[in-house]
Amino acid sequence: MQTPDPEAPASAPSVSSALALPHPQEELLACEELAQRTQDSGFRWMRFPQPLEQRFEGDSTRARVGRFRFYGVVAIILINLFGLGDLTMVPDVATTAILLRLTFLTPVITVISVLLARPWFSRNREWLAAFQILVTALTLNLVVVASHHPNALHYHIGVMVVSIFGVILVRQRFWFAMGTSALISLIYTLGLYQMPGLPPEVRSNAITVLVATVIICLIASYQIEHDLRRGYLQALLQRIKAIRLRDSHDALAQLSKSDPLTGLANRRQLLEHLELAWNIALRTASPISLLFMDVDHFKEYNDHWGHQAGDVCLAAVAELLSASAHRSADLCARYGGEEFVLLLPYTTIEGALPLAQRIRRLIESSAIPHGHSPVSAVVTISCGVACLTPTPDRTSADLIDLADRALYQAKRNGRNRVHAAI
């Protein structure tokens, strides 16, 4: 059936190209060179270059906030458990010591643990952890200074426990651990000098034990963070490598299913897509239409303009065809040579014919010079349209064959026209 063209040729509409969205892992891939260089050169000062440091802190936020909140609960339990010892160790200030633990330290740690769920507090978690550790050490030091009982001297053990807790369990970042440990040592040393009648040799021994503990803890802190950062770099580079491999695999898969000249699907992908759409349509009793198109007198175009210009022509035609496939289920493919196919699932012949005419006019109005076509001075196409509703006794190849025969008839009737198979 030859379909009339009720509209005059119109000028080609401009095709808006979609804005390219950044790959969700583009920023991660951009870190590859910096991460590799950092791993090779090392990080003796416990700091990565700034972009990598920001990613490291961002990636570890959730785990570290969870760690801080968990050990906040542990700290509350231990602080109040050790408060029982105040009754026998410093009976003269036991009430004050217990009140400090219950009404000051416990609420402070509880509030900070709750607030860590907030973005601002989670970003400043290292400062908050340092603050909690220092407040705990300062509270113990106040008990030492306030008490006149001989047992108060032994509170240096509690201060050491605070230092070990912050470095080993909470795992402060190395520089924060160094800062808080230095302040804890200073606070405790000043407190010892406030204790009247304390023999110098006893004071010196207490300070020596505390300093030795701090040094051991800082060495452990350095090693823990060094291993953590090295493991992070290794994991980061492994993630990037996995992404590269996956992208390479996807690219190879895409190449195997796309036409390198036009970027459209190739015949292999078309046949796979058609078979899938055919099976779905068979279950739902839905129609499938197929447009089979051929560039008119393309051999003469190549002979006159050359094969390189012919490739440019095919790419331009492909771009116009691709712009005409608006639905996600539609598929535009290069079938071979100058032949193109547009697959239209869920489309009747009444829906496919107007689209075929629009495509034909669109290519004609694009005014690509031909010069040696007996049909027109510009590049045109012939199009065969077929539509089938799949049944068990038919195959998807029947649809292609029907559209191919319709294309042959369109060319036989003079080209630059659409013919529908009945």
Side-chain angles (χ1 to χ4, degrees):
M1 177 182 72
Q2 182 69 37
T3 61
D5 184 0
E7 302 178 25
S11 59
S14 60
V15 179
S16 300
S17 55
L19 293 174
L21 296 175
H23 195 282
Q25 293 166 321
E26 181 179 345
E27 187 181 349
L28 176 62
L29 296 177
C31 291
E32 182 176 18
E33 182 180 352
L34 184 59
Q36 188 64 61
R37 190 167 65 245
T38 303
Q39 185 183 54
D40 295 341
S41 61
F43 39 90
R44 287 174 296 178
W45 296 104
M46 289 299 115
R47 293 280 297 180
F48 293 146
Q50 189 56 29
L52 198 57
E53 184 70 21
Q54 289 179 346
R55 173 169 285 278
F56 171 66
E57 290 296 344
D59 288 347
S60 60
T61 293
R62 183 175 179 181
R64 287 190 68 74
V65 167
R67 187 180 193 87
F68 289 173
R69 296 180 75 182
F70 172 77
Y71 283 109
V73 175
V74 174
I76 290 172
I77 295 172
L78 292 178
I79 285 169
N80 289 286
L81 182 63
F82 278 103
L84 297 175
D86 294 336
L87 296 171
T88 55
M89 291 292 292
V90 284
D92 56 334
V93 292
T95 302
T96 302
I98 292 173
L99 285 175
L100 278 174
R101 296 174 189 272
L102 289 174
T103 63
F104 177 66
L105 272 182
T106 298
V108 166
I109 297 174
T110 301
V111 169
I112 290 177
S113 296
V114 171
L115 291 178
L116 276 171
R118 303 270 182 180
W120 185 89
F121 289 91
S122 65
R123 286 195 299 269
N124 294 278
R125 60 188 181 273
E126 306 298 333
W127 290 100
L128 291 171
F131 173 75
Q132 289 185 67
I133 293 167
L134 285 174
V135 166
T136 304
L138 181 60
T139 302
L140 293 177
N141 197 66
L142 288 175
V143 174
V144 171
V145 173
S147 176
H148 297 286
H149 196 280
N151 289 339
L153 175 63
H154 298 289
Y155 263 60
H156 75 281
I157 297 175
V159 177
M160 287 191 298
V161 169
V162 171
S163 182
I164 294 171
F165 187 90
V167 173
I168 305 300
L169 291 183
V170 177
R171 293 187 188 176
Q172 284 183 284
R173 297 290 189 226
F174 175 73
W175 293 111
F176 280 91
M178 179 174 284
T180 54
S181 297
L183 286 173
I184 287 173
S185 300
L186 177 62
I187 290 170
Y188 184 68
T189 300
L190 292 175
L192 288 179
Y193 278 96
Q194 300 301 314
M195 295 179 68
L198 186 65
E201 62 274 12
V202 175
R203 182 189 301 117
S204 298
N205 181 70
I207 293 172
T208 301
V209 171
L210 178 61
V211 171
T213 302
V214 166
I215 291 173
I216 292 171
C217 287
L218 289 177
I219 293 173
S221 174
Y222 185 93
Q223 192 61 53
I224 289 171
E225 185 168 348
H226 185 274
D227 292 345
L228 178 68
R229 287 176 176 268
R230 183 175 58 188
Y232 176 79
L233 286 178
Q234 291 172 348
L236 186 67
L237 290 170
Q238 285 296 323
R239 285 172 59 195
I240 292 172
K241 182 179 179 181
I243 292 171
R244 297 286 189 200
L245 288 173
R246 187 198 64 199
D247 288 348
S248 298
H249 179 271
D250 291 346
L252 289 173
Q254 182 62 29
L255 284 174
S256 71
K257 293 186 176 182
S258 63
D259 175 58
L261 174 63
T262 63
L264 299 180
N266 59 15
R267 183 185 298 195
R268 174 185 172 184
Q269 186 176 2
L270 168 70
L271 296 178
E272 290 179 359
H273 195 83
L274 172 58
E275 191 63 27
L276 178 63
W278 184 270
N279 291 331
I280 294 173
L282 180 62
R283 293 195 300 268
T284 59
S286 303
I288 300 181
S289 291
L290 190 139
L291 278 56
F292 211 137
M293 295 159 281
D294 185 275
V295 178
D296 292 329
H297 297 290
F298 187 70
K299 182 180 182 302
E300 287 77 3
Y301 186 97
N302 267 342
D303 291 344
H304 179 72
W305 299 103
H307 289 282
Q308 187 172 357
D311 289 346
V312 174
C313 173
L314 291 177
V317 170
E319 185 176 356
L320 295 171
L321 291 177
S322 181
S324 302
H326 299 298
R327 302 178 307 172
S328 60
D330 299 343
L331 182 69
C332 191
R334 185 184 180 192
Y335 198 73
E338 68 272 21
E339 295 179 324
F340 297 90
V341 169
L342 180 56
L343 177 64
L344 303 168
Y346 313 107
T347 305
T348 62
I349 193 73
E350 290 78 12
L353 278 172
L355 176 59
Q357 288 288 10
R358 284 197 300 272
I359 292 173
R360 187 198 64 77
R361 289 194 301 271
L362 179 63
I363 292 173
E364 184 178 19
S365 62
S366 66
I368 302 171
H370 195 312
H372 283 260
S373 170
V375 176
S376 172
V378 296
V379 169
T380 59
I381 65 164
S382 299
C383 179
V385 182
C387 179
L388 287 176
T389 298
T391 57
D393 59 330
R394 286 175 168 170
T395 67
S396 58
D398 295 332
L399 181 62
I400 295 177
D401 183 62
L402 196 61
D404 188 31
R405 282 189 274 126
L407 170 61
Y408 175 79
Q409 192 61 43
K411 293 162 73 172
R412 188 175 181 181
N413 291 345
R415 301 179 189 263
N416 190 22
R417 65 192 62 229
V418 175
H419 187 87
I422 299 298

